[in-house]
Amino acid sequence: CSRLHTRPSISPTLLLSNMYQRPDMITPGVDPAGQPLDPRKIQQHFEDFYEDLFEELTKYGEIESLNICDNLADHMVGNVYVQFREEEHAAQALQNLSGRFYAGRPIIVDFSPVTDFREATCR
Amino acid sequence: RSSSKSKRISGFDMAPPQPTMLPGVAAAVLHYLSLLRNGQLIFKVRLGQIIGTPPAIPGMFPNIF
């Protein structure tokens, strides 16, 4: 993969870059303070994140799919792909999410060329 | 999921914590004060972060008296 991913000017799919950060992202199974993390807490953290996202994104239109990457490598870590039924809903979401924050970090949002997640592999 | 469950606060619009003071500005002010108190060529640096030698030319100090 060249990592030179294309950014279309319009698409039903949005990419929210590196938005999900698992609590044990520095060392697996350990929180940033060095304390062991219960896997159930990591799961609960993920579910809370998913719920926050879903509740926010449904404001803009019907969601076709919502994918969250949890790569352990540095590439695409925490990327969120949300595909709306309608391009214009994706455009509204893009406009509304730009410049906002999630959990103290800026939201980086762009259109993504991915429309079929079964075929979505990095080449 | 039950709607009666108390809602956790969403992470959306949670801004990063704002620094209350710019460290660079504070350092500059304290440094300047120490010069005024101690007179020229006495470098009583309390911040532990000012690295370097004192200016060699006394005339470079601002003459405020």
Side-chain angles (χ1 to χ4, degrees), chain A residues 5-16 64-69 76 79-87 90 110-123:
Chain A
H5 298 172
T6 55
R7 292 177 180 182
S9 55
I10 185 78
S11 168
T13 309
L14 296 181
L15 160 61
L16 299 111
E64 184 80 29
S65 63
L66 178 54
N67 293 273
I68 299 169
C69 298
M76 292 165 68
N79 278 4
V80 173
Y81 295 85
V82 53
Q83 183 180 7
F84 287 90
R85 282 267 164 98
E86 308 290 340
E87 280 181 349
D110 260 310
F111 288 117
S112 164
V114 178
T115 49
D116 185 349
F117 287 94
R118 289 166 304 178
E119 295 290 319
T121 54
C122 222
R123 281 178 262 265

Side-chain angles (χ1 to χ4, degrees), chain B:
Chain B
R1 202 179 274 200
S2 162
S3 60
S4 64
K5 184 190 163 199
S6 66
K7 179 70 178 82
R8 184 181 46 81
I9 297 166
S10 169
F12 275 93
D13 302 315
M14 201 182 281
Q18 297 296 316
T20 52
M21 193 190 287
L22 290 170
V25 171
V29 169
L30 287 174
H31 184 192
Y32 187 62
L33 287 176
S34 76
L35 281 174
L36 289 178
R37 282 176 189 155
N38 299 323
Q40 58 189 8
L41 289 181
I42 300 170
F43 248 66
K44 202 169 180 181
V45 178
R46 294 170 186 163
L47 302 173
Q49 66 185 63
I50 295 170
I51 301 164
T53 52
I57 308 161
M60 281 180 71
F61 289 104
N63 184 7
I64 58 139
F65 297 109

Side-chain angles (χ1 to χ4, degrees), chain A residues 31-65:
Chain A
D31 75 7
Q35 299 302 311
L37 261 172
D38 188 334
R40 283 169 297 185
K41 282 201 171 161
I42 299 174
Q43 180 66 27
Q44 185 60 50
H45 178 270
F46 177 79
E47 287 176 15
D48 289 347
F49 176 77
Y50 194 97
E51 189 180 277
D52 282 355
L53 262 182
F54 192 83
E55 283 190 5
E56 175 66 21
L57 295 169
T58 44
K59 292 176 186 170
Y60 308 103
E62 201 176 334
I63 295 171
E64 184 80 29
S65 63

Side-chain angles (χ1 to χ4, degrees), chain A residues 18-33:
Chain A
N18 314 116
M19 192 170 172
Y20 173 62
Q21 289 197 319
R22 51 184 294 155
D24 62 340
M25 60 183 287
I26 299 166
T27 312
V30 176
D31 75 7

